[in-house]
Amino acid sequence: MTTTMYHQPDRTISIMRQIGIPSKQFPRFLIGKVAAVRLLSATGMSVLLCNPAHASFLEGDALDTMANVMSWVAIFLTPVIGIGLFWFLHIMPEKVAEKRRHPQLAAIKALCLLSLFFGGLLWPIAWIWAYSKPTLYKLAYGTDVDESLPHHPDKKDGELEDLRTQVAELRAQIAAGTTNTKTA
């Protein structure tokens, strides 16, 4: 017969025999309940005998000071960070549209501003719009980027231009027959 922690009828019967209670006087259906009562009594004793727990490592005035600091952080710092994060998330579509030189940048900026006042309901539309390709604009003007917007070259573009000018200078020197070699 398999035994578990909570229901051990063979052990209970052997204990009853050691005490002197015949097994016929003790009904079989109560054996599991005796094991449950023993478990509950052991649990109750362990609860009564345990030491009280301390929830904080601080005591007295230090605990009050820490509670005051935490309340000031919750009252002032958390809303400032929340508002900043909310604002940053709502201008992200505008920044994406500027980076991609989206031809409808002004409309995306207006939608981002409206989204701030409507509690973020329009923000997903601005996000999708900033990442979309303006197909009708491409059909009308032949390109899907706004050429009138200033293009901010990346560092890689500047390095590429520097390399192109150096190659052009070297080609001119080779064509003239003079080389400018630097020795270290």
Side-chain angles (χ1 to χ4, degrees):
M1 175 179 225
T2 61
T3 60
T4 62
M5 189 170 87
Y6 302 109
H7 184 66
Q8 299 175 352
D10 294 336
R11 183 172 175 193
T12 306
I13 291 172
S14 66
I15 292 173
M16 287 175 14
R17 285 186 185 146
Q18 289 173 359
I19 295 174
I21 301 173
S23 60
K24 296 195 185 249
Q25 289 180 355
F26 204 78
R28 187 103 173 129
F29 68 89
L30 289 177
I31 292 175
K33 294 184 179 20
V34 169
V37 167
R38 279 191 294 164
L39 178 68
L40 286 175
S41 64
T43 305
M45 290 301 291
S46 65
V47 167
L48 292 175
L49 296 176
C50 70
N51 293 330
H54 296 286
S56 176
F57 61 91
L58 301 173
E59 294 179 7
D61 289 339
L63 183 63
D64 290 341
T65 304
M66 179 58 83
N68 285 336
V69 169
M70 289 176 58
S71 67
W72 285 108
V73 166
I75 290 171
F76 291 108
L77 191 60
T78 303
V80 168
I81 290 172
I83 290 169
L85 184 63
F86 183 77
W87 176 74
F88 178 73
L89 284 175
H90 281 77
I91 64 166
M92 280 180 64
E94 177 182 334
K95 298 298 181 188
V96 168
E98 284 177 1
K99 184 178 177 184
R100 298 181 71 176
R101 297 188 312 165
H102 201 285
Q104 295 141 345
L105 177 63
I108 294 172
K109 283 183 178 182
L111 192 60
C112 288
L113 183 64
L114 285 172
S115 180
L116 284 171
F117 291 110
F118 285 111
L121 293 175
L122 302 173
W123 180 75
I125 297 168
W127 188 260
I128 292 169
W129 196 357
Y131 275 104
S132 67
K133 289 280 189 182
T135 55
L136 295 177
Y137 188 88
K138 186 173 184 175
L139 288 173
Y141 297 104
T143 181
D144 59 352
V145 294
D146 191 2
E147 300 297 333
S148 66
L149 293 175
H151 177 63
H152 302 288
D154 294 334
K155 184 178 178 184
K156 293 179 182 178
D157 290 342
E159 290 175 359
L160 184 61
E161 290 299 321
D162 290 342
L163 288 173
R164 286 183 180 159
T165 56
Q166 288 177 359
V167 168
E169 290 173 1
L170 289 174
R171 284 185 181 165
Q173 288 177 0
I174 290 173
T178 61
T179 58
N180 185 7
T181 59
K182 296 180 182 176
T183 57

